Every structure is written in C-alpha cells, then in structure tokens.
C-alpha cells in the first residue's frame, strides 16, 4: 500500500513527465484495442452459432477438357442438397439458399420499400442455422408455402410496437405470412439476410436438376471433423449420378468440397475475408504495443536519472534491491493501469467511429463476458512487466556512490539499450510509412488503370423493377434529356459478372469440345455505352434482339466474345466472325469480337467472356451521363423520369465506380488502417524522441555551458545534441527499406496487375520521418544551445 502512495505522490510531483509518458502509452493501447477489435471481429465469423463446428459449406468446381484448372462456382445445382441428405449418413440435413433477385419491393401502408438481403431457403434452414427464435413457430416456421421469417430488426422496422406473428407482408405483389421472428444475426457472419422466404412449392425446387447452379448449399453434419471423409465419398459417388455421368462422358470433371463453416470467411474459394490481412494486423497491433511499451521504458529510464540522488539516498539508508524494484515496478504499473483505463474508455467510444471509417458494420459484445475482464487483468500484468520491469530492474541496480555524485547517466557506448529500443521504434515507423505509401499507390493504380471499359459517369439503377415495355419507355425518355448520353442494361454488373456457362458444338471442333466461359445477357447498346473497343464484326441490332425473343426452334443468337475467348477457341478476331457455337443450349453465331476487358478485380487476370442479347430480364440499368454534366442535376432528371413511370417505387441509384470500389473493400480497409496507424506510430515515436532529447539536453546542460564559454556556436551545439538521434533515424531507415520491399513485393504479388516498387517512395518515406524527427529534436536542442551559460555554471 505504501508503494501505491509513493507512486501517487511521484505522479503528482512530476506531472509533465507523467502526462507525456501516459499519453504515449494510452495512444498506443487505444490503437491496440481498436485493431484487436477488428481482428476479433474478422476471426470469429459465425462462431456465435452453437452448432457452427458441424456446419459445412458445399462448394462445387467444374473443369472442361479444354481447361488446365477447375473453375470455382461457389454455388451448386438444386439436386446437391437432396442428394447429400439421401445418400450420405454423415449428413444430418442440408439446406439451399438463393438470393431473391437483387431486392424486393415491400408494400407498407401505400408505400413501396426496397429491401435487399432477402433469401429463399429450404424449410430446414433454422435447423442448420439455429438462430434463437424470439417469437412464433420454433420448430417448422418455413414449412408452408409463402411463409416468412423476420429478423428482430426487420420486425421492429415493419411492425413497430406490435406483434408481427401471423401478419401479412406483400413482397412484389405476393403475400407472405410472418411465422417467426429470430434474433438479428451479428455482423460477423457469411450468411447475411434480413428476411427468409420458404422455397416450398416453388417450381425450381420441385425436381432435382443438375443443369444449372444457383443455390448456396450448407450441410449439417452429424459429428464435427468429418469433412474430409465426406468429400472423398461424395466425389467417388458423383460419377454414378446420371446428370453428372453424361457431362463426364463429354470431358467434364466435377469436384464437390465440404468446407467447415468456421473456415469459410478466410477460404480463397468461397469466403470474403483474407487471412493475410489478419496476420498483418496482428503484427501491426503487436508492433504498436511494443513501440508504446518501449516509449514508456525509455522515458521511465530517462526520468530515473533525474531521481538518481533520491535512489542513492534510499540505498545508503538501507533500501534493498528488491524493495526498489517493487517500488518502481508499482509506480510504472500504476501509470500503466491508468493508461489502460483511459485506453479502454477511448476504445469503447471510438470503436463505432473506427468501424464507420473502415466502412465495416462491426459489432462487439465483450463487456458482459467475464473472460474479457480476466484477459484484461492478464494483459495489464504483461504490459506492466514489458513497460516497467526493465526500468525497475535497472534502477534497483544503481550504484549509490555514483548516483549521489551524478554519474549514473554516463554510458561508454552510444548504442545502449535506449538507443536500440528507439531504433526499433523508428524501424517499425518507417516500415509502416513505406507500406502506407505503396498501399495508397496501389489503390490509386486500381482506381485509374484502364480495365478495357469506360465506367466513369455511369449511373446504375435496379433493373429488377422493370418489365420490357416500361424499361424501353424509360430509355426513350432519358435519351431525350440533354444530360444523358446512352442507356443500356445487363443481368450482372460488367465489373462483377457471375454467370458461369459452357461453349460447345463449336464449328470446326470435335463433338466433345467444351470451353467454360463467363457470360452475361445484355441489352442492345451495352458495348457502345461502356465504350468497349470493337475489333471485328458488328454491334447488336434490333433484329438480333427480336430473334433472341423467338421461342421457336428457329431462334438464333448473335454472340459477342472478347479477343481472349476467340484465341481460346483457336481463332483470330476476324476468323471468329460468323462461326457457329452453342452456349448452354443457345444456338447462334459470333457477330462481334471485342477487345479484352477486366470484369472482376484486378487481382485476377482477364478471362474469356461472352455477351448475348436479352430482352425480358435485367438486374441493372446503366445510364451514361454526358461529359461535364452536373451529376446532381442529372440524377434529379433521372429521378423525375423514374417517378413519371413508377410513381410508387422508391428511386435509388448509385455510380458504377462505387461498385468497382467495393471489389477492393478489404484493400481499402487495409490502406485506411495503415494510414491511420502509421501516423499514430510516428507520433508515438516522436513523443519518445521529443522527451528523450529534452532529457539528453538537461543532462548535458553544464557541458553546453562550458562549450559556449569556450566559443562554440549555437549551430555546432545543436548539431552535437542532434547527431546521435539523427543517426538512430538513419539506422532505422536502413533496416526498414529491405523489410518494406519484401513485404510490399509479397503483397503486390496478390494482384495480377499492380503498381511498381519505385525507389523514390522509399526515399520519400525516410525523408518525411527524417524531417519530423529533426524538428522534434532540434527545437529542444536550439533552446538548450541558446540558454545563458551563466545559469548552468553559477554553482561550479
């Protein structure tokens, strides 16, 4: 208890030192907690489900005889789930999940509300994903046709302050009965939904088919850790399935893999996370913690020199080493504890802002978990030992005769422990600045590089709401506006095409020839709107659209392929024109060959793609604005036209560039984190350097006075006081450059297309840190050098 009293007195007595020291540690701990919150969120996807370790994602891969590797589909045909339940005793049950288009229109009190994340599921969905049922049917809420399950958040939205069970919701003119309300899933889940609709009675699920893959399938296993055994059995069984056997005879290969649910988020095949970034953030969090502790240690040691006489007197009076050790350890732990409490408070209030900054709806509910507080206590002990243990041990070993004489601060080597520690700080700081610059450079490259199509000034509307006649009316009205250059539509977004198809029955090829290709149904003016260069052939015409609408055997499609697809088929662009092919049963000829364009993230190389005409269903409507037009005014005009045709439907729009940016959401989050914490790391390092340079000047105040009396100029004294610290920054730079080069070379290797590792970026990072550090040191050095030597030598 006496140690705590002494700690409190010293903290009050040395307020300046205490505030600076605790400020640096609080800043570092706050960043550590924020980063660890992000890591915890990303690393605990779906583990809130009590049976999560028995759930597996069923993934399907297909390879044609013309390809070297399997294409990953992520989705499965409707027959897979029933097959798993029927033929494999390891599977307790299996469910299919499909998206309800892109959104649905819910009618509420005369208004239409657009709602996304609507999922159509098997009745056993809540058996596999056992979310707590808060109200309604607990056992079979999705058993009947047109039954609907709401999350608690959606129930509060559509039925505030009333019981939603048994009520009717109208979605796209179809009535659904609310049968249950479940707990709203947290943000860290791969199975995202707001409303669940039963697939009972839907035509697509009345028979088991292998012809099209549109469902995400999950299996609930009877015991955990049976995925490998199940995978082997499934893939051995597949060749006996009639629908698969016929495709195998044509040269196709199939592979189905059960991936544990807890591994899905970081799975390269089906997940949306990247485990590499988690490792990066763990290293960053630990580096920030170490830097903060090092900063605390250096400042504590520097302050201990000022308390040398106090320590010497205590030792002369009989104080033992262990007593001094525990006294200074207690003082350090006391400040660490205060810093940790401040950091926890700041983290609690800043975390929602941090989540918004990253564009990630993170939710953490740790405050009611007793293990959280046990972990905090252990963390406090570890950080106290890291930050205060070494200074306490050094102080306890001070020689009483030397400290009373004032010789405690002398060191024979310039590269003592404090210098080594601060060198480490600056190595990490410069490394982070280098990584930040290259991350920003790569993001700029991704945003500005030519992907083969022009996506600028393109407004995207939801195409699900429009029938053919209304869409044509919308197009005609918009083209009459001076702000609109072009209007077109497609099933998928051209920067994220999902359609997996096969080309076969190719003119001049063997009967068993097949080529997997990404294909997208498009409206007539699609190519012109996106300004994709035409290498050979002609654009789609009205006649091509009319032929695609023909339901007779005479229907013939006009296909457009990219140059890579033509090469895969064995033709040049000119040779491909007029050749007949078949696309998943659609017969037609190649009418145009387009220049290659990238329709996915630049992490992947350009792939073969095919465009075919469509007329009756499009997921997206694209509106190209004229160059130089005011986007706000143009959006207002589009909204006006929308309301004249669909007065009861809400107008929602966004720019295609926003969709493109979403492809790099994790890279954006990483860049933002690197930018923020690189700045903070440099700030912490500068706080330490600032304080250490102050103490260095104070320790040499008599030396400075003597040098001034002997004629030394202010500039020479400033150089004397700064040279050692500038040398530390230089060593940190030399160590950080190869580390930064290796890390960025490895990271950029994840992209098929990336920026270059220019030498000037490394130099710029070092120069910025050098300037900041020099200013931090030189201000104190100049003040010390400008002081009157009489004041420092009057007692000599």
């Amino acid at each position: 208890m006496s140690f705590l009293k002494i700690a409190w007195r010293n903290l009050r007595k040395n307020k300046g030192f205490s505030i600076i020291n605790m400020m640096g540690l609080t800043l570092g701990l706050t960043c550590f907690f924020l980063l660890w919150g992000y890591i915890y969120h990303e690393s605990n996807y779906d583990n809130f489900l009590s049976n999560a370790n028995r759930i597996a994602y069923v993934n399907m891969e297909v390879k044609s005889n013309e390809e070297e590797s399997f294409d990953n589909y992520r989705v499965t045909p409707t027959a897979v789930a029933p097959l798993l339940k029927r033929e494999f005793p390891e599977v307790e049950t299996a469910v299919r999940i499909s998206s309800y288009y892109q959104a649905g229109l819910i009618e509420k009190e005369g208004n239409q509300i657009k709602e996304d994340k609507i999922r159509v599921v098997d009745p056993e969905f809540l058996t596999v994903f056992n979310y707590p049922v808060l109200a309604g049917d607990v056992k079979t809420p999705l058993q009947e046709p047109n039954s609907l399950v709401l999350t608690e958040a959606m129930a509060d939205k559509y039925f505030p302050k009333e019981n939603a069970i048994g009520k009717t919701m109208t979605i796209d003119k179809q009535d659904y009965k609310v049968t249950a309300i479940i707990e709203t899933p947290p943000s860290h889940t791969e199975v995202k939904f707001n409303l669940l609709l039963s697939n009972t009675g839907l035509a697509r699920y009345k028979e088991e088919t292998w012809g099209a893959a549109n469902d995400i399938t999950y299996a609930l296993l009877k015991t955990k850790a049976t995925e490998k055994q199940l995978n082997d059995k499934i893939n051995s069984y597949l060749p006996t399935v009639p629908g698969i056997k016929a495709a195998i005879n044509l040269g196709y290969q199939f592979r189905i893999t059960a991936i544990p649910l807890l591994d899905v988020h970081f799975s390269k095949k089906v997940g949306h996370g990247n485990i590499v970034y988690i490792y990066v953030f763990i290293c960053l969090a630990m580096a920030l913690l170490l830097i903060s502790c090092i900063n605390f240690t250096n400042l504590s040691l520097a302050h201990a020199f000022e308390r040398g006489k106090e320590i010497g007197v205590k030792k002369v009076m009989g104080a033992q080493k262990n007593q001094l050790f525990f006294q200074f350890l207690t003082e350090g732990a006391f400040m660490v504890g205060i810093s940790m409490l401040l950091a926890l408070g700041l983290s609690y209030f800043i975390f929602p802002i941090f989540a918004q900054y990253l564009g990630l709806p993170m939710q953490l509910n740790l405050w009611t978990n007793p293990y959280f507080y046990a972990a905090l206590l252990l963390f406090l002990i570890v950080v106290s030992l890291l930050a205060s243990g070494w200074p306490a041990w050094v102080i306890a070993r001070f020689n009483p005769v030397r400290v009373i004489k004032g010789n405690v601060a002398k060191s024979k080597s310039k590269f003592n422990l404090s210098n080594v520690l601060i060198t480490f700080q600056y190595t990490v700081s410069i490394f982070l600045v280098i990584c930040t610059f290259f991350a920003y450079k790569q993001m700029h490259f991704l945003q500005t590089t030519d992907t083969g199509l022009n996506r600028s000034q393109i407004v995207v509307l939801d195409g699900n709401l429009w029938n053919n006649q209304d869409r044509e009316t919308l197009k005609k009205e918009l083209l009459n506006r001076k702000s609109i250059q072009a209007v077109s539509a497609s099933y998928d977004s051209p920067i994220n095409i999902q359609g997996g198809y096969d080309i076969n029955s190719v003119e001049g090829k063997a009967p068993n020839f097949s080529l997997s290709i990404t294909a997208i149904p498009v409206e007539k003016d699609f190519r012109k709107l996106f300004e994709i260069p035409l290498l050979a052939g002609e654009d789609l015409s009205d006649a091509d659209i009319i032929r695609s609408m023909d339901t007779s055997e005479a229907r013939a499609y006009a296909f457009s392929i990219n140059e890579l697809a033509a090469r895969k088929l064995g033709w040049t662009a000119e040779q491909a024109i007029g050749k007949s092919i078949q696309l998943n049963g659609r017969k037609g000829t190649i009418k145009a060959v387009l220049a290659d364009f990238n329709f996915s993230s630049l992490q992947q190389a350009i792939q073969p793609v095919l465009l075919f005409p469509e007329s009756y269903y499009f997921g997206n409507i694209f509106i190209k604005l004229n160059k130089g037009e005011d986007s706000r005014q143009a959006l207002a005009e589009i909204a006006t036209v929308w309301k004249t045709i669909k007065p009861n439907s809400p107008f929602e729009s966004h720019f295609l560039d926003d969709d493109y940016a979403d492809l790099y959401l994790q890279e954006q989050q990483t860049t933002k984190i690197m930018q923020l914490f690189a700045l903070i790391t440099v700030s912490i390092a500068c706080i330490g350097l600032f304080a250490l340079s102050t103490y260095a000047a104070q320790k040499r105040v008599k030396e400075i006075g003597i040098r001034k009396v002997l004629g030394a100029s202010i500039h020479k004294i400033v150089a004397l006081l700064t040279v050692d610290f500038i040398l530390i920054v230089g060593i940190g730079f030399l160590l950080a450059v190869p580390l930064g080069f290796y890390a960025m070379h490895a990271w950029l290797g994840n992209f098929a297309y990336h920026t270059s590792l220019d030498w000037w970026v490394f130099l710029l990072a070092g120069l910025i840190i050098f300037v900041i550090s020099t200013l931090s040191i030189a201000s104190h050095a100049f003040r010390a050098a400008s002081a009157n030597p009489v004041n420092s030598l009057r007692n000599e």
Side-chain angles (χ1 to χ4, degrees):
M1 195 66 183
S2 61
F3 287 159
L4 285 174
K5 289 181 180 179
I6 295 170
W8 175 246
R9 287 171 187 162
N10 277 308
L11 189 147
R12 294 180 62 188
K13 180 182 176 182
N14 303 284
K15 290 177 184 170
F17 157 78
S18 301
I19 289 172
I20 290 175
N21 211 0
M22 288 192 296
M23 182 174 67
L25 188 58
T26 299
L27 186 59
L29 288 174
T30 301
C31 296
F32 178 86
F33 289 142
L34 290 175
L35 268 175
W36 210 257
Y38 176 84
I39 293 166
Y40 179 87
H41 178 273
E42 289 295 296
S43 304
N44 285 272
Y45 260 63
D46 293 304
N47 72 347
F48 57 88
L49 294 166
S50 60
N51 58 354
N53 59 357
R54 293 196 294 126
I55 302 174
Y57 186 114
V58 182
N59 183 54
M60 189 171 188
E61 298 171 276
V62 181
K63 178 181 178 297
S64 71
N65 56 6
E66 300 298 320
E67 295 173 296
E68 298 179 358
S69 60
F70 280 84
D71 287 328
N72 187 56
Y73 273 49
R74 295 175 180 253
V75 289
T76 58
T78 59
V80 171
L83 177 72
L84 293 177
K85 290 190 288 186
R86 185 174 59 246
E87 301 293 341
F88 300 96
E90 295 87 354
V91 177
E92 182 175 315
T93 189
V95 293
R96 296 161 294 189
I97 306 171
S98 63
S99 294
Y100 180 88
Y101 305 118
Q102 291 182 340
L105 276 184
I106 298 178
E107 296 182 18
K108 178 70 172 175
E109 298 176 352
N111 297 317
Q112 290 183 322
I113 303 170
K114 184 179 173 184
E115 196 68 65
D116 59 2
K117 296 182 183 175
I118 301 176
R119 304 291 180 255
V120 181
V121 299
D122 280 315
E124 298 85 2
F125 178 86
L126 292 180
T127 301
V128 177
F129 298 94
N130 55 351
Y131 302 102
V133 179
L134 305 179
D137 189 342
V138 176
K139 294 184 178 179
T140 57
L142 293 165
Q143 197 69 44
E144 299 298 324
N146 297 336
S147 54
L148 177 151
V149 171
L150 293 175
T151 63
E152 186 178 14
M154 288 295 103
D156 291 340
K157 178 178 178 179
Y158 290 101
F159 301 97
K161 299 180 181 179
E162 59 178 308
N163 183 9
I165 302 302
K167 298 290 177 64
T168 298
M169 292 185 69
T170 303
I171 306 175
D172 292 331
K173 308 300 182 182
Q174 177 67 52
D175 290 339
Y176 294 86
K177 180 182 177 181
V178 179
T179 56
I181 297 171
I182 62 174
E183 191 174 277
T184 303
S187 56
H188 50 286
T189 177
E190 283 286 331
V191 187
K192 300 184 185 298
F193 61 90
N194 288 329
L195 296 90
L196 298 174
L197 305 181
S198 173
N199 64 18
T200 303
L202 297 182
R204 189 161 71 85
Y205 294 97
K206 288 183 177 179
E207 59 179 315
E208 298 178 18
T209 61
W210 291 90
N214 295 293
D215 297 306
I216 293 174
T217 300
Y218 284 93
L220 178 64
L221 309 182
K222 290 181 178 177
T223 59
K224 62 181 181 180
T226 58
E227 289 87 2
K228 185 180 186 306
Q229 178 185 356
L230 178 61
N231 291 339
D232 294 339
K233 291 183 70 174
I234 292 173
N235 290 303
S236 297
Y237 184 85
L238 279 180
T240 67
V241 178
I244 297 292
K245 187 176 182 180
I248 291 175
N249 292 336
L250 293 174
Y252 286 93
Q253 297 179 47
F254 295 85
R255 187 163 65 196
I256 288 180
T257 308
I259 303 171
L261 176 64
L262 297 180
D263 296 342
V264 166
H265 184 59
F266 293 124
S267 168
K268 291 183 178 180
K269 292 181 179 180
V270 298
H272 297 90
N274 190 330
I275 191 64
V276 173
Y277 293 141
I278 297 302
Y279 295 146
V280 169
F281 294 144
I282 289 173
C283 292
L284 178 56
M286 297 308 297
L288 273 165
L289 181 63
L290 282 174
I291 285 173
S292 302
C293 290
I294 287 169
N295 204 57
F296 190 94
T297 298
N298 275 339
L299 292 176
S300 297
L301 283 171
H303 185 61
F305 298 144
E306 290 202 339
R307 296 175 63 184
K309 291 183 179 178
E310 173 198 337
I311 298 163
V313 170
K314 284 186 176 182
K315 298 200 92 176
V316 169
M317 296 297 291
Q320 300 297 313
K321 288 181 180 179
N322 61 335
Q323 291 177 309
L324 289 172
F325 174 79
F326 284 110
Q327 176 195 329
F328 283 91
L329 182 62
T330 304
E331 288 185 21
F334 186 66
M335 286 197 288
V336 170
I338 293 174
S339 298
M340 185 172 290
L341 288 174
L342 291 171
L344 279 172
L346 285 171
S347 302
Y348 179 80
F349 290 108
I350 293 175
F351 193 78
I353 302 171
F354 179 60
Q356 187 177 12
Y357 170 72
L358 296 180
L360 186 66
M362 293 187 289
Q363 302 163 353
L364 295 179
N365 299 311
L366 298 174
W367 308 104
T368 57
N369 189 337
Y371 292 107
F372 173 69
Y373 296 98
L376 277 182
L377 179 61
L378 178 63
F379 185 72
L380 173 62
I381 294 170
V382 171
V383 174
S384 296
L385 289 173
L386 278 172
S388 306
W390 174 252
W393 185 79
V394 171
I395 292 166
R397 290 172 59 86
F398 278 175
N399 186 306
V401 176
R402 290 185 62 193
V403 296
I404 290 174
K405 288 183 176 180
N407 295 327
V408 69
K410 291 182 179 178
S411 174
K412 294 180 180 179
S413 173
K414 289 184 179 180
F415 298 98
N416 53 30
L417 180 64
S418 292
N419 288 347
V420 171
L421 293 178
I422 204 164
T423 301
F424 172 79
Q425 280 185 304
Y426 269 88
T427 300
V428 173
S429 299
I430 297 169
F431 169 78
L432 288 177
V433 173
I434 289 171
C435 293
T436 298
F437 281 172
F438 278 112
Y440 177 82
K441 193 167 180 277
Q442 175 64 7
M443 290 308 301
H444 182 263
F445 173 84
L446 294 175
Q447 294 293 341
T448 58
T449 192
D450 182 11
T451 58
L453 53 82
N454 188 344
R455 60 178 186 273
S456 64
Q457 288 290 89
I458 294 178
V459 179
V460 185
L461 306 181
D462 183 3
N464 294 300
L465 310 176
W466 300 82
N467 58 39
N468 185 43
Q469 182 178 348
D470 286 347
R471 190 181 59 256
E472 287 299 319
T473 302
L474 175 71
K475 180 176 181 180
K476 186 182 298 183
E477 290 294 327
L478 289 174
L479 290 175
N480 288 331
R481 308 284 172 144
K482 66 179 183 63
S483 60
I484 308 301
Q485 177 181 326
V487 180
S488 190
S490 70
Y491 181 85
D492 286 321
S493 170
I495 59 169
N496 192 19
I497 303 173
Q498 300 294 322
Y501 292 77
D502 294 297
I503 291 179
N504 47 42
S505 299
V506 178
E507 182 179 335
K509 300 290 183 183
N512 66 344
F513 177 90
S514 64
L515 175 69
S516 293
I517 195 166
T518 302
I520 176 174
V522 299
E523 196 262 354
K524 179 169 66 76
D525 297 319
F526 181 87
R527 186 205 70 82
K528 292 179 181 176
L529 184 141
F530 287 101
E531 301 175 15
I532 304 170
L534 181 66
L535 301 183
E538 300 175 345
D539 282 315
L540 294 174
S541 65
D542 290 330
D544 295 323
I545 301 299
I546 293 171
R547 278 198 302 273
S548 70
M549 297 169 64
D550 187 358
T551 57
S552 69
E553 289 293 326
R555 176 167 60 178
Y557 284 86
F559 297 119
S560 300
I561 60 175
N562 67 345
E563 188 178 17
L564 179 58
R567 289 201 302 271
K568 290 277 187 180
L569 293 168
W571 304 316
T572 64
E574 291 75 15
Q575 290 171 341
I577 302 302
K579 293 291 196 299
S580 62
I581 61 173
Q582 188 168 304
L583 179 79
N584 284 45
R586 299 173 180 83
K587 297 178 181 179
T589 57
I590 298 173
K591 186 174 185 180
V593 176
L594 314 178
D596 290 334
F597 64 93
N598 203 304
F599 55 84
S600 60
S601 164
L602 291 181
Q603 289 176 321
Q604 288 91 40
I606 289 173
Q607 298 296 319
V609 67
L610 179 148
L611 313 181
F612 63 93
E614 187 57 89
S615 60
Y616 65 91
Y617 174 70
F618 297 108
N620 303 272
I621 296 174
F622 305 103
I623 304 166
K624 177 80 170 180
L625 306 184
N626 277 314
K627 192 173 182 180
E629 287 292 331
D630 184 349
S631 58
R632 287 176 296 181
Q633 182 179 345
L635 286 175
E637 291 183 1
I638 296 169
T640 300
V641 175
W642 173 294
K643 286 298 182 182
T644 59
I645 304 172
K646 289 193 175 293
N648 296 323
S649 298
F651 174 74
E652 294 182 8
S653 66
H654 64 276
F655 282 91
L656 187 63
D657 276 337
D658 296 335
D659 290 337
Y660 186 75
D662 286 344
L663 294 177
Y664 307 103
L665 184 59
Q666 282 216 312
E667 285 72 23
Q668 289 174 1
Q669 291 169 357
T670 303
T671 302
K672 287 180 176 180
I673 288 175
M674 296 296 289
Q675 288 172 343
L676 178 62
F677 292 115
L679 177 63
I680 291 170
T681 303
V682 173
S683 300
I684 292 172
C686 286
I687 287 172
L689 200 60
F690 183 84
L692 285 177
S693 63
T694 302
Y695 289 122
Q698 289 176 351
K699 287 186 294 182
R700 302 176 71 174
V701 67
K702 289 186 174 63
E703 176 191 343
I704 293 168
I706 293 170
R707 287 180 180 272
K708 289 199 72 175
V709 169
L710 293 176
S713 67
I714 291 177
H715 297 297
K716 285 186 178 179
I717 294 173
V718 169
L720 176 70
L721 293 174
T722 59
V723 64
D724 289 347
F725 293 110
I726 297 304
L727 180 62
I728 287 172
V729 176
I731 294 172
F733 173 73
L734 293 177
L735 293 173
V737 166
L739 292 174
F741 180 86
Y742 174 79
M744 289 297 95
H745 183 269
W747 180 64
L748 292 175
N750 293 318
F751 296 86
Y753 310 95
H754 57 77
T755 187
S756 57
L757 288 168
D758 298 319
W759 63 268
W760 60 265
V761 178
F762 296 94
L763 188 61
L764 179 62
L767 184 62
I768 289 173
I769 299 298
F770 176 82
V771 170
I772 294 173
S773 303
T774 301
L775 291 175
S776 299
I777 303 164
S779 61
H780 279 290
F782 184 80
R783 191 183 306 163
S786 302
N788 191 337
V790 174
N791 295 330
S792 60
L793 299 175
R794 64 174 61 181
N795 294 324
E796 293 299 312

